[in-house]
Amino acid sequence: MRIALLARVHLGTLAVLFVLALSACLLVAGLPRAMQASYDEALRRSLAAAPAWQADLTVSVESRSPEEDLHERGQFDLRDRRWHEILPAALRPLVTGAGHMSAKTTLTPVTGTAGQTYINLGWLSDAAQRVDWVQGRAPGRPSTMRYEGATIPVFEVGVAEDAQREMGLQVGQQKMLGENDYVAVKIVGVFKARNPADRYWSHNLEILQVTKIQPPGALDFEKHTTTLISDEGLTALSSEGRNLSYHWILPIDPRGASALAVPDLDAAVAEFGRVAALQSTGSPYHLDTGLPKLLADFRAALGTAQTVMYLVLGGLLAVALGVIALAVLLLTDRLDHTLTVARARGGSLRQVAGAAATVTGIAVMPAGLAGYGLSFLVPGPVLPIVHLGPAVVVLVAIGFAAARVARSHRTPLHERRDDVAAGRVSARRITLEVLVVALALAGAYLLRARGLAGGDPFLLLVPVGLTLAAALITLRCYPYPLRLFVRLAARGRAAVPFLGLTRAARARSASVLPVLILLPALGVSVFAAVISDGIASTQQLAAWQQVGAPIKVTSEVEIPAATISQVRGLAGVEQVVTAQTGRVQVGYGAENAEAIAVDVAQWRRILDGATVSLPALSDGALVSPELRGRGTFEIGWQSRVRLATRGVIDSVPGFYTEGKFMVVPLSVLTRPAVNTLLIKGDVSPDALARLIPSASVKSQERALSAIRDDPLTRTVRWALVVVTVALGSYALVAVVLSLVVGAAERARAVSFLRTLGLSDRQAQRLTVLEILPMILLTALVGLGLGLFLPYALGPGVDLASYAGGLPVGGYSLDLLIPLALAAGLAAVAVLGAYAHTAISRRRNLGAVLRVGDLT
């Protein structure tokens, strides 16, 4: 059989098949790479945004005897090398940079301060590269002195600028530390960090800042600071009489993180902690890190992203394979006459099936290779699906072509009864279809009733089952309403409605089955559109709840009235609402609550048009659920104030979401000390930050951008848009191919009718009436399925990670995109019908009547 001639004769069909296979292979290989790259970027951002003390690995040990003390840098270096040697393989890509080491004392009181002031001693292995000395000099070698009849060490130390200011420490001062075992410190310098924002200082914040602690029941604060000593100071630093611990920090480099390695990292961290503990010869070494918690949070968000992606990509692959199968069906129909002749002349079944597979392979194999190659232009790791996806597409196309031809040409000169409208369906098939529908409905009910456990296969099986059930019900039930319309049309005098609807109602299952590709295409695309819209609206709500106003300015100290006047005078400022926040005493006991005093009416005007709001309040208080049921109560805030409960609110936008809180009118305060501004207008947050340096400025627009710019969030929404467009395109192609697949039989019937006097206009209406009912019915079922899936899968898909932490639910029925898809399919069907009629009109009726007219 001349394969090259067959390919040249059917070049147009092969070109369509090539384009479809190319797009499918590119999507199935490229989209997973892009998504995995975004997963990696999300993990890296998560690790980079976390405090270093939480992400890094810190090996610590408490020295409990002089024998366990370390007095030389070499002793620290030796252990540091050991920690790197025993790192599990999964952690090595993350721990690539050089870390640092430290020795610190804790709870070292200043003698004679009754435990109110603490000056600890600290050594950093890289202090010389991290700080600049702004007064005095760097510490040097320690000395000794006599104190109360004993010789004690005198450490030269440096203090941070914050400690100098908060604790009144000066260069040249000498302080005695301890209550029993004494040590002296001499302040020889004041330092500041070269880069205070460096993640490094997350591990050593107590060195840069004074820590204030209010003990339970006490009115005054304890003040703690840690000073710096030199390398020589290690020789005199001992655990005798004080709390001394050593630390080795192994920093995590986010650039080496991979989302694919996350499942192995938890076990690796636990293994590293276990092996590090085995290195102990005295006090046990222990691993301190928050990395497992970070990975668990990321894994939860990643799991939801992957679930949504599996759903939409699975639907995309199924639809793409279905459309390719339609194109193969068209090709094998075009080859049918040639293969029938070859079979009648003695060709074996293997030869004719091989010929169809070879012709199909001429189109799909180069397309598969091209799509596979183009996928490498997409940045991201190469996953197994990148290799398997194109291979599956190619094998399915070739296998379907061979199988269909082999089934059709089991015997030579196969004949088909075109005058039979429908065959009897076997009891076995009916039972199987009823079982599929029952299982799909049961799965959807169970998913709604109990939610989804981690790793449960229901999430992937339920959408597939629902789609298949909808397709089977549509396939079996669509003739019955059409037959009702046929009976109505039969009562009329016009023949075209009766003939068109009769042909549509009597269409065999095999002829309408290709159209059912529209079900998953429309279902998944509408599902993706609804999910994307739900995420977008919830993101808006989350941004408003985070800020509570277009712009919010909060300060720890009172904002002067003159500054507020300047804010009101800034260009673009439309309205400024002043407020005071604070912690108030509820009643006369120890119960406290968070409170905001504000003019609620003005705040409500600022929130006009926003997705959040507050109840009206003129007097009394709006309280949280934990404060409900108290009627009139009293608070202590500047003075004692009696308030009546006017309502219960679950949250205060921009301020409180849980616990005990209340909203009161600003007028209840004797003298409001404004520390919060709620601003409406087109003004730069940076300008406000410059005007009020002590304040924190947040804007709703920036909060929304931060939510949307998260890599996982951006990937989910981007993928949903791509899949929606791709599925919509495939659905349109499916309609066109469905028209072309049945074109020959339809043209023959119309030609027969034209000999009986059917006009061109009547032929067009007849074709439309034959095609459009199934398209419209399938589009409506697919539309309904897509709108139903978000509600069916609601308990199983937690999209809060992509919507600012708020649960995505209560999907609004925005039918613009779904109806546009359904209307587009119907329009394409109608245009295709008119185009088909126009083409058929050019045919010679005599030739049409002779083709296949064997009696």
Side-chain angles (χ1 to χ4, degrees):
M1 194 172 295
R2 300 174 64 182
I3 301 299
L5 179 60
L6 288 177
R8 187 166 62 251
V9 171
H10 301 288
L11 186 60
T13 306
L14 291 179
V16 172
L17 187 55
F18 175 87
V19 172
L20 292 175
L22 173 64
S23 63
C25 292
L26 178 58
L27 287 173
V28 78
L31 280 179
R33 290 192 65 178
M35 288 187 294
Q36 190 60 48
S38 71
Y39 298 158
D40 293 344
E41 176 63 21
L43 176 59
R44 291 163 189 160
R45 282 198 185 186
S46 175
L47 294 177
W53 63 264
Q54 187 177 14
D56 294 346
L57 305 175
T58 302
V59 180
S60 303
V61 64
E62 292 79 27
S63 180
R64 296 175 180 172
S65 67
E67 291 76 17
E68 297 178 2
D69 292 343
L70 305 180
H71 296 297
E72 297 178 358
R73 176 186 285 268
Q75 294 174 301
F76 285 87
D77 292 336
L78 180 64
R79 288 162 176 78
D80 184 64
R81 288 193 295 269
R82 182 57 181 160
W83 305 141
H84 283 83
E85 289 172 359
I86 65 175
L87 270 177
L91 285 172
R92 292 184 183 276
L94 293 179
V95 185
T96 57
H100 71 280
M101 303 161 286
S102 65
K104 298 174 184 176
T105 67
T106 55
L107 297 175
T108 309
V110 176
T111 305
T113 61
Q116 292 298 304
T117 306
Y118 294 82
I119 297 181
N120 300 307
L121 302 175
W123 170 78
L124 298 178
S125 59
D126 54 354
Q129 291 78 42
R130 297 291 183 176
V131 302
D132 290 322
W133 297 94
V134 295
Q135 292 184 35
R137 58 176 175 83
R141 187 180 301 275
S143 58
T144 59
M145 66 175 288
R146 297 288 296 176
Y147 185 75
E148 294 188 354
T151 301
I152 63 172
V154 179
F155 290 91
E156 290 189 352
V157 301
V159 298
E161 289 181 312
D162 188 54
Q164 181 190 31
R165 180 176 57 256
E166 289 285 341
M167 301 176 67
L169 303 177
Q170 300 296 328
V171 174
Q173 277 186 332
Q174 183 168 296
K175 296 283 187 178
M176 298 300 300
L177 308 181
E179 298 296 344
N180 295 306
D181 295 301
Y182 298 102
V183 66
V185 293
K186 182 180 180 181
I187 302 173
V188 298
V190 178
F191 64 85
K192 68 175 182 180
R194 290 184 180 177
N195 182 12
D198 196 315
R199 289 168 53 84
Y200 170 93
W201 291 108
S202 173
H203 292 284
N204 306 290
L205 201 58
E206 73 278 10
I207 292 179
L208 284 188
Q209 299 177 0
V210 174
T211 304
K212 298 180 180 179
I213 301 175
Q214 186 176 23
L219 297 177
D220 297 327
F221 287 88
E222 296 176 357
K223 294 184 178 180
H224 299 248
T225 189
T226 299
T227 60
L228 280 182
I229 64 174
S230 63
D231 289 359
E232 294 87 347
L234 282 175
T235 59
L237 187 62
S238 172
S239 60
E240 189 173 1
R242 58 191 54 87
N243 305 311
L244 176 61
S245 59
Y246 304 119
H247 311 276
W248 290 264
I249 289 83
L250 284 67
I252 294 296
D253 186 357
R255 293 173 295 180
S258 169
L260 294 174
V262 166
D264 301 326
L265 290 178
D266 275 337
V269 171
E271 176 65 13
F272 180 56
R274 185 187 68 83
V275 176
L278 295 177
Q279 310 303 310
S280 305
T281 57
S283 298
Y285 292 99
H286 53 89
L287 177 64
D288 298 318
T289 180
L291 185 59
K293 174 64 167 58
L294 292 174
L295 295 177
D297 293 342
F298 172 77
R299 197 161 49 240
L302 176 64
T304 304
Q306 289 177 328
T307 298
V308 175
M309 292 303 100
Y310 289 153
L311 287 174
V312 296
L313 288 181
L316 177 62
L317 177 60
V319 171
L321 291 177
V323 175
I324 290 174
L326 270 179
V328 173
L329 182 66
L330 175 62
L331 177 62
T332 53
D333 282 349
R334 299 286 175 87
L335 292 173
D336 186 71
H337 181 70
T338 303
L339 297 179
T340 300
V341 174
R343 187 81 167 104
R345 291 178 178 177
S348 67
L349 186 61
R350 184 173 61 181
Q351 286 178 320
V352 295
T358 303
V359 174
T360 303
I362 291 176
V364 298
M365 290 186 69
L369 291 174
Y372 176 73
L374 289 174
S375 69
F376 282 85
L377 299 178
V378 180
V382 180
L383 306 173
I385 187 63
V386 175
H387 306 301
L388 295 177
V392 168
V393 172
V394 171
L395 292 177
V396 167
I398 296 177
F400 178 70
R404 184 173 188 276
V405 170
R407 182 176 181 277
S408 300
H409 295 271
R410 291 190 302 272
T411 58
L413 293 177
H414 63 287
E415 295 183 1
R416 291 170 294 190
R417 293 289 304 276
D418 291 339
D419 59 330
V420 177
R424 183 179 297 275
V425 182
S426 67
R428 180 182 301 176
R429 183 169 179 178
I430 292 177
T431 303
L432 180 61
E433 292 178 356
V434 170
L435 180 61
V436 169
V437 174
L439 288 176
L441 295 177
Y445 171 77
L446 289 176
L447 187 60
R448 290 289 303 177
R450 67 174 179 80
L452 183 74
D456 198 320
F458 263 125
L459 189 59
L460 296 180
L461 295 180
V462 170
V464 174
L466 288 174
T467 303
L468 183 57
L472 292 176
I473 293 173
T474 304
L475 180 62
R476 293 299 169 210
C477 296
Y478 90 94
Y480 299 107
L482 283 182
R483 288 172 186 173
L484 177 62
F485 286 105
V486 169
R487 290 185 180 182
L488 295 176
R491 297 180 181 180
R493 301 182 59 183
V496 170
F498 173 76
L499 291 174
L501 294 175
T502 299
R503 286 182 56 81
R506 291 184 178 181
R508 298 189 308 272
S509 298
S511 64
V512 300
L513 189 58
V515 182
L516 294 181
I517 295 172
L518 298 176
L519 265 174
L522 271 174
V524 176
S525 61
V526 172
F527 167 76
V530 173
I531 289 290
S532 181
D533 183 68
I535 292 175
S537 60
T538 309
Q539 287 174 341
Q540 288 275 359
L541 176 61
W544 279 108
Q545 287 198 350
Q546 287 180 13
V547 181
I551 300 176
K552 181 179 70 173
V553 179
T554 56
S555 174
E556 295 183 358
V557 298
E558 182 179 357
I559 302 175
T563 303
I564 298 176
S565 298
Q566 290 179 321
V567 171
R568 296 183 191 276
L570 288 176
V573 173
E574 299 177 17
Q575 186 178 356
V576 177
V577 177
T578 59
Q580 180 180 344
T581 60
R583 192 168 183 83
V584 301
Q585 180 187 27
V586 181
Y588 289 90
E591 185 179 16
N592 295 320
E594 301 294 334
I596 177 172
V598 64
D599 186 329
V600 176
Q602 293 187 24
W603 194 359
R604 283 165 55 88
R605 284 195 290 272
I606 280 184
L607 295 176
D608 185 31
T611 54
V612 295
S613 62
L614 282 171
L617 178 70
S618 58
D619 63 345
L622 301 172
V623 300
S624 65
E626 295 187 19
L627 294 174
R628 75 166 72 218
R630 306 200 179 200
T632 300
F633 60 97
E634 191 168 313
I635 65 171
W637 194 9
Q638 294 185 354
S639 63
R640 305 302 300 183
V641 180
R642 291 183 61 82
L643 299 169
T645 301
R646 299 303 185 192
V648 179
I649 52 176
D650 294 327
S651 64
V652 180
F655 294 92
Y656 318 119
T657 58
E658 59 184 12
K660 299 178 180 179
F661 56 83
M662 65 183 70
V663 180
V664 302
L666 191 63
S667 58
V668 305
L669 298 181
T670 306
R671 179 198 171 277
V674 175
N675 57 9
T676 301
L677 302 179
L678 305 173
I679 302 172
K680 180 180 181 180
D682 185 14
V683 60
S684 170
D686 296 333
L688 292 169
R690 288 191 296 269
L691 187 60
I692 315 175
S694 63
S696 171
V697 182
K698 296 181 180 180
S699 73
Q700 187 270 341
E701 291 183 356
R702 289 187 176 181
L704 181 60
S705 297
I707 295 173
R708 289 177 173 174
D709 289 344
D710 177 77
L712 281 182
T713 303
R714 189 171 60 246
T715 298
V716 168
R717 295 204 63 194
W718 168 80
L720 290 175
V721 171
V722 171
V723 169
T724 301
V725 173
L727 287 174
S729 302
Y730 278 134
L732 295 177
V733 172
V735 172
V736 174
L737 288 178
S738 299
L739 291 171
V740 178
V741 166
E745 180 183 353
R746 196 177 303 110
R748 182 168 177 266
V750 171
S751 298
F752 271 113
L753 293 173
R754 285 177 62 191
T755 62
L756 300 177
L758 187 72
S759 66
D760 291 340
R761 184 180 297 275
Q762 289 175 321
Q764 290 174 343
R765 285 188 292 166
L766 177 65
T767 305
V768 169
L769 286 174
E770 179 184 349
I771 295 172
L772 199 56
M774 190 59 199
I775 298 291
L776 289 179
L777 186 60
T778 307
L780 290 176
V781 174
L783 177 63
L785 180 64
L787 294 175
F788 171 73
L789 280 178
Y791 298 94
L793 304 180
V797 183
D798 181 12
L799 299 171
S801 302
Y802 319 113
L806 295 183
V808 179
Y811 300 98
S812 58
L813 293 180
D814 185 0
L815 300 180
L816 177 60
I817 294 179
L819 289 179
L821 288 173
L825 294 179
V828 169
V830 172
L831 293 176
Y834 277 95
H836 167 73
T837 306
I839 295 173
S840 300
R841 191 168 51 205
R842 302 176 183 175
R843 297 187 178 185
N844 186 303
L845 292 183
V848 172
L849 293 178
R850 288 195 299 270
V851 172
D853 194 15
L854 300 176
T855 57

